[in-house]
Amino acid sequence: QVRLVQSGGGSVQAGGSLRLSCVVSGYIYGSYCMAWFRQAPGKEREEVARIDSAGRPQYTDSVKGRFTISQDNAKKTLYLQMNSLKSEDTAMYYCAAPDCASGHVDSNGWGQGTQVTVSS
């Protein structure tokens, strides 16, 4: 069974940087990707960045050039480096293990969430 444990996050002023980490344990069956999602108050959860098993990243347009997703396979850790943060980046951030083809995330494929707050 997959377990994802997040760390990092916190509060920062606009223009600052934060790094999120997600340690993955257990076995992920089949083809998998790793991803970061976020959910702001009153908004739907959105996928921010994804990385596939070959290490190829994808980003939503609003974070391109500012966020970097990476993984350390030896440490089984996923990272999200967030630079030039904006107030609109304020949200709860979740790491996840979506199926690469469908994008579906099983109920046990989510981290616990970590709050990122950017003040202007």
Side-chain angles (χ1 to χ4, degrees):
Q1 185 168 338
V2 176
R3 185 170 181 234
L4 291 77
V5 179
Q6 297 178 223
S7 61
S11 298
V12 67
Q13 289 190 330
S17 299
L18 288 171
R19 189 175 82 158
L20 307 181
S21 301
C22 176
V23 178
V24 183
S25 60
Y27 183 71
I28 301 175
Y29 292 91
S31 177
Y32 71 91
C33 289
M34 295 299 300
W36 290 96
F37 288 72
R38 67 185 179 187
Q39 187 168 20
K43 295 188 177 181
E44 294 187 355
R45 188 174 296 186
E46 65 168 340
E47 184 175 308
V48 173
R50 177 188 292 200
I51 189 166
D52 67 14
S53 57
R56 292 171 296 209
Q58 296 179 54
Y59 302 94
T60 192
D61 286 345
S62 62
V63 307
K64 283 180 180 177
R66 301 189 298 120
F67 289 12
T68 302
I69 187 171
S70 62
Q71 58 188 6
D72 184 329
N73 290 331
K75 296 182 178 180
K76 296 185 179 181
T77 302
L78 178 72
Y79 301 100
L80 184 68
Q81 178 66 44
M82 304 182 291
N83 298 329
S84 302
L85 282 160
K86 304 176 181 180
S87 57
E88 52 262 45
D89 296 317
T90 295
M92 185 71 77
Y93 283 71
Y94 299 88
C95 65
D99 179 85
C100 288
S102 68
H104 174 72
V105 183
D106 287 338
S107 59
N108 64 344
W110 293 98
Q112 80 274 21
T114 186
Q115 180 67 37
V116 170
T117 302
V118 184
S119 57
S120 57

